[in-house]
């Protein structure tokens, strides 16, 4: 379970505003954020990940405090056990698909698990290719399985299916 209660002043599309969130996420629950462009959806994900700081608030997982502004606790992003698919995908351009996945998974995933992830998104034949040689949809699928390779406690997806065709979009949502 995650408990999130934060307040952050933001320059939003409509001008200055405040992002105020108070929510609980249960294990296995899917939460979808939607709204107009510039209302703070990506900012909220970045706060949860530890990439953006709120003025005040807290974020707790079932076993650890990630953020508590009153107690001056702020666990770094690399220690929050999250998977994050960014809008810009953020793949390492100097690494192959396989190397991107191995880097993300480190010792958490064996080679068979990475192959299963590649098969899940129909990219097993492209493991030795670099991101700049892939289509936008292929890069998006690599970013998605890279986020899964870390076996995250929380998976944050920022427009993760925007470059995918409708058939792949539906299949990946199911998977």
């Amino acid at each position: 379970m995650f408990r999130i209660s934060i307040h952050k002043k933001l320059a939003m599309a409509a001008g200055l505003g405040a992002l105020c969130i108070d929510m609980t996420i249960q294990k296995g629950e899917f939460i979808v954020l939607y709204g107009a462009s510039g209302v703070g959806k990506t900012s909220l994900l970045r706060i949860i990940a530890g990439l953006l700081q709120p003025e005040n608030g807290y974020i707790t997982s079932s076993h650890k405090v990630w953020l508590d502004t009153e107690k001056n606790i702020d666990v770094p992003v690399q220690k929050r056990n999250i998977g994050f698919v960014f809008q810009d995908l953020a793949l390492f351009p100097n690494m192959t698909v396989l190397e991107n996945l191995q880097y993300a998974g480190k010792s958490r995933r064996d080679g068979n698990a990475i192959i299963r992830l590649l098969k899940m998104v129909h990219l097993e034949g492209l493991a030795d290719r670099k991101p700049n040689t892939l289509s936008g949809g292929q890069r998006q699928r690599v970013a998605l399985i890279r986020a899964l390779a870390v076996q995250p406690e929380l998976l944050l997806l920022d427009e993760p299916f925007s470059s995918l065709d409708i058939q792949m979009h539906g299949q990946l949502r199911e998977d």
Side-chain angles (χ1 to χ4, degrees):
M1 178 175 74
F2 286 87
R3 186 81 183 99
I4 301 164
S5 181
I6 57 100
H7 179 269
K8 172 75 175 165
K9 293 177 189 170
L10 293 174
M12 298 178 167
L16 292 177
L19 179 64
C20 299
I21 302 293
D22 189 15
M23 65 188 294
T24 301
I25 302 171
Q26 300 296 329
K27 183 177 180 171
E29 188 173 24
F30 289 87
I31 303 293
V32 176
L33 303 174
Y34 64 93
S37 182
V39 298
K41 300 177 300 290
T42 296
S43 294
L44 174 59
L45 295 179
R46 291 174 53 80
I47 289 169
I48 294 169
L51 298 169
L52 181 65
Q53 299 307 306
E55 275 77 31
N56 57 59
Y58 61 87
I59 301 171
T60 60
S61 73
S62 56
H63 64 279
K64 189 172 185 178
V65 175
W66 286 358
L67 173 75
D68 189 329
T69 56
E70 286 185 14
K71 295 180 181 175
N72 204 26
I73 297 171
D74 186 9
V75 174
V77 63
Q78 63 271 24
K79 294 188 178 183
R80 291 192 183 197
N81 191 21
I82 61 163
F84 198 151
V85 177
F86 296 90
Q87 282 183 27
D88 67 359
L89 307 180
L91 297 172
F92 295 114
N94 60 322
M95 294 181 181
T96 65
V97 168
L98 183 60
E99 290 167 338
N100 265 278
L101 298 174
Q102 289 170 330
Y103 180 82
K106 299 194 174 131
S107 63
R108 297 181 196 172
R109 288 269 186 185
D110 62 27
N112 290 332
I114 289 175
I115 298 301
R116 280 194 302 275
L117 287 171
L118 285 165
K119 285 181 179 179
M120 180 178 78
V121 297
H122 308 287
L123 294 177
E124 60 271 23
L126 304 178
D128 294 329
R129 302 248 315 256
K130 294 203 173 168
N132 67 343
T133 68
L134 303 174
S135 71
Q138 290 168 333
R139 285 192 302 270
Q140 195 151 32
R141 287 182 274 162
V142 172
L144 180 59
I145 62 173
R146 186 183 63 180
L148 293 172
V150 301
Q151 296 179 309
E153 185 177 358
L154 182 64
L155 182 61
L156 304 173
L157 306 172
D158 196 355
E159 299 188 29
F161 306 123
S162 61
S163 294
L164 301 178
D165 62 67
I166 194 71
Q167 183 179 0
M168 183 57 67
H169 176 257
Q171 179 185 337
L172 288 180
R173 283 184 54 182
E174 283 298 313
D175 290 342

